[in-house]
Amino acid sequence: MTSARKDKNTKARDNKKVEIAPAAEPVAVAAPVPELDMSSPQGGPARRNIDLERREDRFLIFIRDTQDVLDALGEFADIIEYEKTPVTHTLYCGDSIRGLPPGLSVKARTYSIDRQVGRWEVNGDTLFNLLELKRTVAIKGPDSNGQASADFDFDFMAEARGYEEVFEVLDLAAQSFPTDSLKSKKRTSSMTLGEVIDLLSNPVPYHGKVPEDLYLFLLENVHPLDDFKWMPLNGTEYRRKHFKTKDPQYRDVFRATMDTRVTHYSFRRLGGGRFTGTPVGVEDFSRLEIKADYDKLQNTPLGERIAEIVLNFKAFRIPSKKYRSLTLRGQDIIEKYGFKTELPGNNLKAFFMASPIRYRDREHYVNLARYIATSGTFKLFPEQPMLIEVHENAVVGKDNKLFVRLTGNSIIYDRAPETKKIQDLKLEKSDRCPVAVIPIESRDELGLELFKNLKEKNNRYLRSKGFLVQHKKTKRVYKVALERIITGKRRSTEDVCIYYMGKEGAVAAFNDYERIEQEILALYRFLKKYPLFKSVF
């Protein structure tokens, strides 16, 4: 294992409209992208020796504790910040209907001295310094559990920075995806956004112009996504500090970064190869990411000190910046429509059991959209739909009659919803406003007594993806989502959920639950006929 950066790199860096055709009949789900056996000759650079114990853990650090954590890490690590290019900008590329490719992450990155002023404007000529691609593959080996992710980073400033190739294994268990991932870094010269999108859309003309392992990776994993209309979907911006151990013996088994004031952007297409990103949220906490080989750190002073920091600062696991950004993008899309609720005091949700959704079935959601387009009563909203996603990690429990969630840097108290069941459909009516929302700025505000008194305490991860659907006559809008909830040690549920979102246009009456429930039942009966949902009954 080699260090990801050499000391001499510091100075070098500082110089430096998609159509959904309605189907006459439900469309069968396309086969998932084939997994690549890393022992195969086609595995390219992934065939090299891998340390499967190296992993990455993401933690939330409360805002008032950030400096204390920096001081604690500074006891055994040098703090590195590139003063002339301290701000990192990252674009995530995907398709507005299909979202980000399942099992594959594609992002372009650049570095600068300043943050964006308001909007983030990019076009085909915008230069990027790093193209990062990650995918999940099958790995054979006694310690791999048969799954891992191969992540390939291609840094366009290779020669200027003098990077060496580095392999890392990242633990993604907290996000309910396969357990490990492998990251490898390669470098070429800078590329424009237009070239990146062209490369993703069709890598064949770039054969011989980009590194061979990059070309093979794109050919095997991106080229089959020929139905993707590639564009920037979301982005992040943050300042990053790097930590490198002062003791040379640990430099290959521990690295860490601290990201502060992470700003999230949602992008939309303007035409002519131009895109604009609107800020949709700024995180009022810091992110600590630790990349460590815990086997080699076990029973060492450094390993014990890292564990103390995580415990003492009550550092909770959080989803990646990518998934937080997608969640805020979905919220922003819905809010911009300005739906008027007829239920000002309540939220209304209905759900029924679904077949397990393979994360790799890249056409699963778009085929659901095609099926909805066949309805005579409902239609996709808007006509060219956009995938709406929610990703959330939380600690949940009960405090007397209240449900309690610690999510991000807030504790939220809710009353239990009212529930009823009609056939296989469960309906929940909950308060629109929580009983209390308590912001947490420091670990000292997070009383341990609170969690000692909680009943049924557990960790919970939610992944939700779906589309907005409108009743053609009444103009009421609902969100139809495929959701997976993982509670505790991998106990999971798969549901089709229907959320009442409000109404487009004027509201004639309030609190007419009966009419809304009748529409939800009609939508449920239509969705139940979809073959992939029907198979579970």
Side-chain angles (χ1 to χ4, degrees):
M1 186 84 61
T2 58
S3 174
R5 286 186 173 86
K6 293 182 178 180
D7 292 341
K8 66 181 181 180
N9 296 340
T10 304
K11 182 176 180 181
R13 174 174 177 169
D14 285 344
N15 290 333
K16 207 264 157 344
K17 175 177 174 183
V18 179
E19 295 184 358
I20 293 288
E25 301 203 0
V27 182
V29 173
V33 179
E35 292 181 341
L36 178 65
D37 186 338
M38 294 186 70
S39 64
S40 163
Q42 296 179 346
R47 297 195 306 270
R48 298 186 178 97
N49 292 330
I50 307 164
D51 180 359
L52 286 178
E53 299 304 319
R54 192 165 175 84
R55 66 188 229 191
E56 177 179 84
D57 294 301
R58 304 179 181 92
F59 299 101
L60 179 152
I61 302 298
F62 297 112
I63 194 67
R64 281 170 45 195
D65 296 337
T66 298
Q67 187 58 53
D68 292 338
V69 173
L70 290 174
D71 293 341
L73 292 171
E75 295 173 6
F76 57 83
D78 293 321
I79 302 177
I80 302 171
E81 183 175 21
Y82 299 103
E83 295 181 358
K84 294 184 179 180
T85 55
V87 180
T88 299
H89 309 274
T90 304
L91 282 184
Y92 296 89
C93 296
D95 181 284
S96 61
I97 298 176
R98 295 166 177 83
L100 301 179
L104 183 68
S105 177
V106 179
K107 50 189 174 182
R109 181 172 291 162
T110 189
Y111 310 95
S112 69
I113 191 170
D114 295 319
R115 290 178 174 267
Q116 301 294 334
V117 180
R119 296 176 301 177
W120 183 356
E121 305 281 357
V122 295
N123 57 49
D125 295 326
T126 303
L127 285 172
F128 287 89
N129 307 125
L130 178 71
L131 173 62
E132 180 176 298
L133 303 104
K134 302 181 181 181
R135 73 169 166 144
T136 303
V137 297
I139 288 184
K140 294 181 179 179
D143 299 323
S144 67
N145 296 322
Q147 295 284 346
S149 288
D151 303 348
F152 296 93
D153 292 0
F154 297 92
D155 187 336
F156 303 132
M157 299 177 68
E159 299 177 357
R161 296 188 189 164
Y163 277 89
E164 291 186 349
E165 185 170 299
V166 62
F167 291 89
E168 305 167 333
V169 173
L170 314 180
D171 180 14
L172 301 179
Q175 299 171 50
S176 80
F177 299 124
T179 56
D180 300 302
S181 71
L182 170 69
K183 181 180 289 184
S184 148
K185 296 190 176 180
K186 288 286 188 182
R187 291 80 173 111
T188 65
S189 59
S190 297
M191 289 182 72
T192 65
L193 177 60
E195 290 172 328
V196 169
I197 292 178
D198 287 344
L199 180 64
L200 296 173
S201 301
N202 183 13
V204 174
Y206 286 85
H207 191 207
K209 300 179 182 179
V210 297
E212 186 68 10
D213 49 5
L214 169 57
Y215 174 75
L216 292 175
F217 181 91
L218 291 168
L219 199 65
E220 294 168 350
N221 299 278
V222 179
H223 192 49
L225 306 177
D226 55 357
D227 46 3
F228 266 64
K229 306 300 182 184
W230 291 98
M231 64 168 286
L233 289 185
N234 54 296
T236 57
E237 173 189 80
Y238 50 88
R239 290 182 69 105
R240 167 166 285 185
K241 289 182 171 64
H242 303 259
F243 302 91
K244 183 176 66 175
T245 56
K246 297 176 182 179
D247 190 336
Q249 68 173 316
Y250 293 120
R251 287 183 180 172
D252 289 341
V253 296
F254 169 83
R255 288 191 298 116
T257 57
M258 177 81 80
D259 298 336
T260 55
R261 285 191 59 212
V262 178
T263 303
H264 298 276
Y265 291 82
S266 175
F267 280 82
R268 61 186 178 90
R269 193 189 303 269
L270 297 179
R274 297 181 300 121
F275 305 89
T276 183
T278 304
V280 291
V282 180
E283 295 181 350
D284 50 358
F285 54 85
S286 301
R287 288 175 172 265
L288 174 65
E289 297 185 357
I290 296 177
K291 303 173 180 67
D293 184 332
Y294 288 100
D295 267 9
K296 294 181 180 178
L297 289 176
Q298 190 173 11
N299 299 322
T300 66
L302 177 59
E304 292 174 358
R305 183 64 182 125
I306 294 171
E308 286 178 3
I309 292 173
V310 171
L311 180 63
N312 292 344
F313 287 93
K314 301 180 179 64
F316 290 92
R317 292 183 184 274
I318 53 175
S320 67
K321 292 184 286 291
K322 174 179 70 176
Y323 290 117
R324 178 57 180 162
S325 184
L326 287 171
T327 299
L328 293 172
R329 169 183 166 83
Q331 293 176 4
D332 182 66
I333 289 172
I334 292 172
E335 290 172 358
K336 277 184 166 60
Y337 288 123
F339 300 129
K340 299 177 178 63
T341 181
E342 301 160 279
L343 311 176
N346 297 108
N347 293 316
L348 199 59
K349 170 188 174 182
F351 59 96
F352 61 96
M353 184 174 62
S355 300
I357 302 163
R358 281 181 57 89
Y359 180 63
R360 288 180 168 275
D361 288 347
R362 61 187 175 90
E363 289 296 281
H364 194 83
Y365 301 101
V366 75
N367 284 332
L368 172 61
R370 289 188 177 116
Y371 176 70
I372 293 171
T374 68
S375 172
T377 305
F378 298 93
K379 66 178 183 178
L380 293 164
F381 184 94
E383 291 184 5
Q384 297 300 316
M386 289 176 283
L387 191 67
I388 307 293
E389 301 191 35
V390 178
H391 301 264
E392 181 185 84
N393 274 27
V395 177
V396 298
K398 290 183 179 180
D399 182 7
N400 295 321
K401 295 183 179 181
L402 298 178
F403 286 96
V404 182
R405 286 181 293 144
L406 172 60
T407 177
N409 57 341
S410 297
I411 301 176
I412 303 171
Y413 291 81
D414 288 300
R415 289 197 304 173
E418 299 177 15
T419 61
K420 66 178 180 179
K421 190 173 182 179
I422 303 175
Q423 300 175 24
D424 297 308
L425 184 69
K426 297 179 181 178
L427 289 96
E428 289 185 353
K429 183 171 71 172
S430 60
D431 295 336
R432 182 172 291 271
C433 181
V435 173
V437 178
I438 305 173
I440 303 298
E441 296 182 353
S442 170
R443 65 193 185 281
D444 297 330
E445 299 174 1
L446 197 61
L448 291 178
E449 292 301 320
L450 166 68
F451 292 98
K452 288 181 180 178
N453 297 331
L454 285 184
K455 297 179 180 179
E456 302 178 29
K457 182 175 65 177
N458 224 325
N459 296 312
R460 188 189 70 179
Y461 174 78
L462 165 68
R463 184 182 74 209
S464 172
K465 298 185 179 185
F467 300 96
L468 297 179
V469 176
Q470 186 177 54
H471 192 284
K472 292 181 179 179
K473 291 184 178 180
T474 67
K475 303 301 181 182
R476 291 190 179 99
V477 178
Y478 303 88
K479 183 176 76 169
V480 175
L482 310 182
E483 294 192 350
R484 185 184 189 195
I485 295 178
I486 298 178
T487 305
K489 295 183 178 180
R490 300 289 176 172
R491 181 169 59 86
S492 65
T493 59
E494 307 269 354
D495 292 308
V496 180
C497 298
I498 303 171
Y499 294 87
Y500 168 72
M501 305 305 296
K503 191 173 182 180
E504 184 188 26
V507 174
F510 292 99
N511 299 320
D512 192 347
Y513 290 96
E514 184 176 351
R515 289 182 182 274
I516 296 173
E517 288 180 2
Q518 289 301 315
E519 289 186 6
I520 289 176
L521 281 172
L523 184 53
Y524 156 69
R525 295 187 185 103
F526 170 73
L527 292 171
K528 188 178 176 181
K529 296 177 182 178
Y530 184 46
L532 288 181
F533 300 158
K534 189 177 180 180
S535 63
V536 302
F537 298 104

